[in-house]
Amino acid sequence: MHQVQTHLLKRERQAFIMKQINLHNRVLSADLGLMLNVSEDTIRRDLNELAELGELVKVHGGALSKSYHYDYASNTTYALPEKTIIAQKAVTLIEEGMYVMVGGGTTVRELVRLLPQDLKATFFTVSLTTALQLCDHPSVEVIFLGGKLIKNSQISVGGEVISRVNDINADLCILGTNAIDVTEGITDSDLEAVQVKKAMMKASKRTAIVTISEKLGSMQRLRVCDLSDIDFLITELIPTDPVFSNYDQNGLIIL
């Protein structure tokens, strides 16, 4: 977590906040205060203003991207061209008859949109948004792993969900990530979401992480797993890009 230039104008500060939201989906007021070197009261006012403008969803202790909501407009998706490339690569991992665990987020949304219309497979998800989108597909089976629903992110969490996940033997798990780093691995800022992601990965034979390259080298406070625990890393870049020079030491297949 790096401190940025201090004494930014309000519009510059709010642009920085939106950048963090677009990259990491969720931000904590305390972390933003440290990065911007301003008080939490200032951050709270900024978040309230941005929420009133419809730019983000204000939650206790921070803010959340609007992209989790079922009525989110795809044409406003951050880095949509890059996420479309990632989705095109990720869809090649899905084979006929597979059991596939999927999370939520805008990259997964693009993946679901690109699924072949004749694909027959079974998808398990804790994301209400993803489940609803999968319901529009003509031939896949959709199993929503329901439990306690976090209203803002529309993600199902808790012991009941984890118990159900533990009973599944999936072929593939496809997850987005809030942050990824060579040494810190996959990290997140929501403890309940971390526990569910860990269970989804454990219940799957292989795990693919889908992320825009802009998140490479970033980290948040809670660890999901080490890089050695995942099988595929999928970004919009070509696998031979120099940015991956350290990532491929972890036995990762980079697509």
Side-chain angles (χ1 to χ4, degrees):
M1 190 182 304
H2 304 291
Q3 191 177 87
V4 300
Q5 181 183 349
T6 57
H7 309 302
L8 295 179
L9 298 173
K10 183 170 77 169
R11 65 174 181 273
E12 294 172 325
R13 197 172 60 237
Q14 292 186 356
F16 177 84
I17 290 171
M18 287 309 305
K19 180 77 165 181
Q20 296 303 304
I21 283 278
N22 285 326
L23 277 180
H24 304 301
N25 302 314
R26 180 187 178 94
V27 293
L28 301 177
S29 299
D31 289 347
L32 289 172
L34 288 172
M35 286 188 282
L36 290 165
N37 194 27
V38 296
S39 70
E40 282 197 51
D41 283 341
T42 299
I43 296 297
R44 196 173 297 113
R45 286 193 296 271
D46 284 339
L47 294 180
N48 285 336
E49 285 187 25
L50 289 167
E52 287 171 8
L53 291 169
E55 297 293 324
L56 50 75
V57 179
K58 182 79 167 60
V59 296
H60 178 70
L64 195 71
S65 170
K66 289 181 66 181
S67 63
Y68 285 101
H69 284 226
Y70 65 90
D71 58 353
Y72 180 75
S74 291
N75 60 1
T76 61
T77 298
Y78 180 75
L80 182 58
E82 290 85 354
K83 290 175 180 178
T84 301
I85 293 170
I86 294 165
Q88 289 168 342
K89 293 180 183 181
V91 79
T92 65
L93 296 176
I94 301 172
E95 300 173 2
E96 192 79 4
M98 268 190 170
Y99 275 31
V100 185
M101 293 261 193
V102 286
T106 50
T107 306
V108 171
R109 181 174 302 175
E110 290 307 301
L111 167 66
V112 173
R113 189 177 62 80
L114 294 177
L115 291 174
Q117 290 298 291
D118 60 349
L119 175 70
K120 291 183 173 63
T122 301
F123 286 82
F124 301 84
T125 186
V126 296
S127 166
L128 188 57
T129 306
T130 301
L132 290 170
Q133 187 187 1
L134 282 164
C135 284
D136 290 334
H137 192 283
S139 58
V140 302
E141 184 173 356
V142 187
I143 299 176
F144 176 62
L145 301 168
K148 173 189 171 184
L149 198 64
I150 300 178
K151 291 182 179 179
N152 293 305
S153 61
Q154 298 177 349
I155 297 289
S156 189
V157 297
E160 182 181 353
V161 175
I162 291 172
S163 178
R164 291 188 67 192
V165 170
N166 289 342
D167 290 336
I168 299 165
N169 183 17
D171 298 293
L172 179 66
C173 177
I174 301 177
L175 294 173
T177 180
N178 284 4
I180 178 171
D181 180 74
V182 170
T183 56
E184 296 299 321
I186 308 299
T187 52
D188 204 313
S189 60
D190 185 285
L191 184 59
E192 289 184 303
V194 165
Q195 299 305 317
V196 171
K197 285 183 177 182
K198 285 183 176 181
M200 291 171 70
M201 291 175 58
K202 187 177 179 182
S204 305
K205 292 174 185 172
R206 298 186 298 172
T207 296
I209 295 295
V210 292
T211 179
I212 55 174
S213 61
E214 210 173 340
K215 293 185 183 182
L216 298 174
S218 66
M219 63 194 76
Q220 297 196 324
R221 293 177 182 268
L222 303 174
R223 183 188 294 267
V224 177
C225 68
D226 293 326
L227 285 188
S228 58
D229 295 322
I230 65 176
D231 301 280
F232 302 98
L233 173 59
I234 309 175
T235 76
E236 79 282 5
L237 303 176
I238 59 172
T240 54
D241 192 289
V243 74
F244 297 122
S245 58
N246 290 323
Y247 284 82
D248 58 12
Q249 296 175 12
N250 291 275
L252 275 179
I253 297 172
I254 299 171
L255 299 181

